[in-house]
């Protein structure tokens, strides 16, 4: 067997390891099934004597499968919208070839005897592998935080494959720039990439936590892709570009509109969830979480805190029932909210306890506010046709006069 045959056999054996990993173990199959497909297709595309359009199509399909595996592995470690992740991947798969078609299609046709379809295939592969390389960089950063050896191995494998694809393109466009004998390393390096992928498949899954996606990074992908697509369309208007590049750019913009809509939906959902988590279900005021968050804010001081504890509330519950008690709490909450100026936070801590946060106020202003609250609460409440009066115990504390942190402030006001 020739040296090339031995190298290919090594790569095929590594691909077989990935296939066995996908078949024997059900966990994380969404990663290793496409990885196995990519490894097999990569071997098929580069088997000895494999040339022509069929080999190019197979190589492009292999790159797409490996990109899918890389995305699936990242999804296991990053908590965000899976739908948006796949939309971003599809957008990159459209726009990366569009950029390369714009820049290199005509030079490639001029430098080689390839037909236009063959040239498009030849450019699609390195553009997709470049996109995979960008995912590999993201994977490296993610793996550093979680010590995921498999991620590092997959990143290394894809980085080698990406570099080889870019070198193949350079050899087509400018053969004189490729050092003599460099092509002899292509086969061993491609086999090494498959070996790295096989090692990743054999490595145990780490016990790692899932991290949240950086909120500031959510829009980086859509903004970059839309910018690239706009540049392609602008350049086409000025100098004229291949129709394939323009079509892919338009399709990429359509996908990014979908991605932006998904981002908007996620942000809206998160805001609703956060609002619900900070809201008291009975009264609609803020709850104890909202109070704690406000008091713990870095720029909270100076402020004053007034605690309101209704007296004889249990007697109302016992005499009129819990529904009447709930109605009383809602009316008290409404009265406190109506008489609170903008900027004040009114919360129900729980039970019959309320709290007001007065930003910028000191102890004297808080004491005056407490006196006003007593006057507001002395007015009777109408509970199903019955006039009910309540009294309240109030506590006041100010920061930084009385306390240096939220816990101490609450304790002083409650004392």
């Amino acid at each position: 067997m020739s040296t090339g045959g031995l190298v290919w056999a090594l790569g095929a054996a590594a691909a077989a390891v990935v296939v066995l990993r996908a078949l024997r173990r059900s966990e994380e199959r969404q990663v290793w099934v496409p990885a196995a497909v990519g490894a097999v297709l990569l071997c098929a595309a580069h088997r000895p004597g494999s040339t022509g359009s069929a080999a190019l199509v197979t190589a492009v399909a292999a790159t797409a499968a490996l990109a899918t595996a890389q995305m699936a592995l990242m999804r296991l470690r990053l908590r965000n919208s899976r739908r948006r992740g796949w939309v971003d991947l599809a957008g990159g798969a459209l726009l990366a070839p569009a950029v390369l078609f714009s820049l290199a299609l005509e030079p490639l046709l001029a430098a080689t005897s390839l037909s236009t379809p063959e040239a498009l295939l030849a450019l699609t592969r390195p553009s997709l592998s470049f996109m995979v390389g960008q995912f590999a960089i993201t994977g490296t950063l993610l793996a550093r935080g979680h010590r995921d050896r498999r991620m590092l191995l997959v990143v290394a494998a894809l980085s080698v494959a990406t570099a080889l694809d870019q070198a193949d393109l350079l050899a087509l466009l400018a053969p004189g720039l490729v050092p003599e004998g460099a092509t002899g390393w292509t086969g061993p390096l491609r086999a090494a990439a498959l070996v790295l992928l096989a090692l990743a498949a054999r490595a145990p899954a780490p016990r790692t936590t899932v991290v949240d996606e950086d909120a500031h990074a959510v829009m980086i992908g859509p903004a970059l892709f839309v910018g690239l697509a706009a540049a392609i369309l602008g350049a086409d208007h000025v100098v004229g570009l291949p129709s394939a590049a323009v079509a892919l750019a338009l399709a990429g913009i359509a996908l990014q509109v979908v991605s932006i809509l998904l981002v908007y939906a996620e942000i809206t959902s998160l805001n609703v969830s956060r609002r619900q988590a900070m809201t008291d279900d009975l009264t609609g005021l803020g709850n104890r979480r909202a109070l704690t968050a406000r008091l713990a804010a870095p720029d909270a001081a100076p402020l004053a805190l007034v605690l309101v504890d209704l007296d004889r509330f249990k007697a109302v519950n016992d005499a009129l029932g819990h529904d009447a008690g709930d109605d009383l709490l809602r009316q008290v909450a409404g009265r406190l909210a109506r008489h609170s100026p903008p900027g004040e936070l009114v919360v129900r801590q729980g039970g019959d306890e309320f709290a007001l946060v007065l930003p910028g106020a000191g102890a004297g202003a808080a004491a005056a506010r407490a006196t006003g609250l007593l006057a507001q609460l002395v007015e009777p409440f109408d509970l199903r046709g019955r006039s009910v009066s309540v009294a309240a115990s109030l506590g006041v504390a100010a920061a930084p006069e009385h306390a240096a942190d939220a816990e101490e402030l609450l304790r002083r006001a409650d004392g």
Side-chain angles (χ1 to χ4, degrees):
M1 184 181 292
S2 64
T3 302
L6 288 173
V7 169
W8 181 84
L10 174 62
V17 171
V18 182
V19 171
L20 289 174
R21 167 63 176 83
L23 293 175
R24 288 184 175 178
R25 296 164 66 181
S26 60
E27 74 275 10
E28 299 183 0
R29 191 163 281 174
Q30 70 270 31
V31 175
W32 300 110
V33 167
V37 171
V40 170
L41 290 176
L42 197 61
C43 284
H46 296 284
R47 70 183 185 277
S50 178
T51 57
S53 298
L56 282 173
V57 171
T58 304
V60 169
T63 303
L66 292 174
T68 302
Q70 169 72 359
M71 173 62 79
L73 187 57
M74 287 177 60
R75 293 304 96 202
L76 293 176
R77 297 287 166 258
L78 196 62
R79 184 187 293 112
N80 77 346
S81 167
R82 292 179 181 273
R83 290 181 301 170
R84 180 167 52 78
W86 293 115
V87 168
D88 286 344
L89 177 63
L94 290 173
L95 289 170
V99 172
L100 207 50
F101 291 172
S102 301
L103 298 175
L105 180 59
E106 291 184 3
L108 183 60
L109 290 172
T112 66
S113 59
L114 294 174
S115 65
T116 299
E118 289 174 334
L120 290 173
L121 281 173
L123 292 174
T124 298
R125 182 184 174 192
S127 62
L128 289 180
S129 67
F130 180 78
M131 180 196 67
V132 174
Q134 303 314 302
F135 281 113
I137 293 172
T138 305
T140 301
L141 298 175
L142 191 59
R144 285 176 59 190
H146 292 282
R147 299 176 183 175
D148 190 340
R149 186 173 60 178
R150 300 171 315 152
M151 182 81 78
L152 293 173
L153 289 168
V154 169
V155 164
L158 296 180
S159 298
V160 171
T162 299
L164 288 172
D165 288 342
Q166 309 314 310
D168 288 345
L169 177 60
L170 180 62
L172 285 174
L173 289 172
L177 295 179
V178 179
E180 186 176 350
T183 54
W185 288 95
T186 301
L189 287 174
R190 193 160 276 117
L194 287 169
V195 169
L196 289 169
L197 194 62
L199 291 173
R202 294 286 299 169
R207 294 181 179 178
T208 58
T209 57
V210 179
V211 298
D212 291 315
E213 186 176 40
D214 188 338
H216 299 289
V218 168
M219 292 302 296
I220 291 177
L224 175 63
F225 291 154
V226 169
L228 286 174
I232 291 171
L233 296 177
D236 177 65
H237 182 72
V238 175
V239 299
L241 293 177
S243 57
V246 176
L248 290 176
L250 290 171
I253 287 179
L255 272 179
Q256 293 318 304
V257 170
V258 174
S259 181
I260 290 170
L261 290 175
L262 289 173
V263 169
Y264 177 77
E266 288 174 34
I267 292 173
T268 302
S269 176
L270 287 172
N271 286 337
V272 170
S273 298
R274 184 178 185 277
R275 197 159 50 243
Q276 290 174 343
M278 295 286 187
T279 302
D280 175 57
D281 293 335
L282 178 65
T283 63
L285 297 177
N287 58 16
R288 190 175 184 85
R289 289 193 193 92
L291 176 63
T292 302
R294 180 66 181 87
L295 296 180
D299 58 345
L303 58 76
L305 175 66
V306 180
L307 296 183
V308 181
D309 188 358
L310 300 182
D311 296 337
R312 299 189 301 275
F313 176 72
K314 186 176 183 299
V316 174
N317 264 342
D318 292 342
L320 302 178
H322 289 287
D323 288 343
D326 290 345
D327 191 18
L328 175 61
L329 291 174
R330 282 190 288 266
Q331 291 190 43
V332 169
R335 192 173 292 183
L336 293 176
R338 283 194 303 273
H339 291 85
S340 295
E344 280 191 6
L345 174 67
V346 184
V347 305
R348 177 186 174 224
Q349 290 204 85
D352 59 355
E353 297 179 356
F354 295 83
L356 288 82
V357 179
L358 287 57
R369 184 77 173 88
T371 302
L373 288 175
L374 287 175
Q376 294 163 18
L377 295 175
V378 92
E379 294 288 333
F381 294 89
D382 182 8
L383 297 181
R384 302 178 182 180
R386 300 186 62 171
S387 180
V388 176
S389 297
V390 298
S393 301
L394 281 77
V396 173
E401 296 174 57
H402 301 145
D405 56 51
E407 184 178 347
E408 177 65 17
L409 186 67
L410 282 165
R411 188 163 52 249
R412 291 291 298 272
D414 198 34

